[in-house]
Amino acid sequence: MKDYIYQRVLEVSNYIYETKATVRQAAKVFGVSKSTVHKDVTERLEKINGQLAEKVKEVLEYNKAERHFRGGEATKRKYMEEKNSSDIKEG
């Protein structure tokens, strides 16, 4: 594994563990794709640091379990914003 990939895997993994970030959030912070982050923390990390891999896996599982709540909130905000902008246009 190349040094820069090794370093990224550790940085992304520590970021996710410390901040409880989602894969999407980590990808945005580190300027890589969601697929890259996912591969880093599910495949590559296991070969580098098994203990950290388990901790990150717990965060990912928690985020996955909560995903439907966040999605519902995002949809609610979207429609509220649309309603507010149409109210302004009508008023």
Side-chain angles (χ1 to χ4, degrees), residues 48-71:
I48 297 171
N49 185 333
Q51 287 180 321
L52 181 56
E54 282 299 315
K55 292 176 182 178
V56 171
K57 184 178 178 182
E58 290 175 13
V59 173
L60 295 180
E61 288 174 358
Y62 174 81
N63 286 340
K64 187 175 180 181
E66 296 290 312
R67 179 173 56 192
H68 64 285
F69 294 124
R70 286 191 298 275

Side-chain angles (χ1 to χ4, degrees), residues 9-82:
V9 169
L10 290 176
E11 288 176 2
V12 169
S13 301
N14 281 314
Y15 176 78
I16 289 174
Y17 177 66
E18 291 170 3
T19 64
K20 310 298 185 227
T22 63
V23 169
R24 185 179 298 243
Q25 291 166 334
K28 191 173 184 178
V29 168
F30 288 91
V32 295
S33 71
K34 294 182 300 182
S35 299
T36 298
V37 171
H38 192 266
K39 185 168 187 157
D40 283 352
V41 299
T42 59
E43 295 177 24
R44 296 179 177 130
L45 182 59
E46 186 69 37
K47 297 173 185 171
I48 297 171
N49 185 333
Q51 287 180 321
L52 181 56
E54 282 299 315
K55 292 176 182 178
V56 171
K57 184 178 178 182
E58 290 175 13
V59 173
L60 295 180
E61 288 174 358
Y62 174 81
N63 286 340
K64 187 175 180 181
E66 296 290 312
R67 179 173 56 192
H68 64 285
F69 294 124
R70 286 191 298 275
E73 286 299 315
T75 302
K76 181 179 176 182
R77 276 194 308 275
K78 173 185 170 185
Y79 288 111
M80 292 299 285
E81 289 170 6
E82 287 178 5

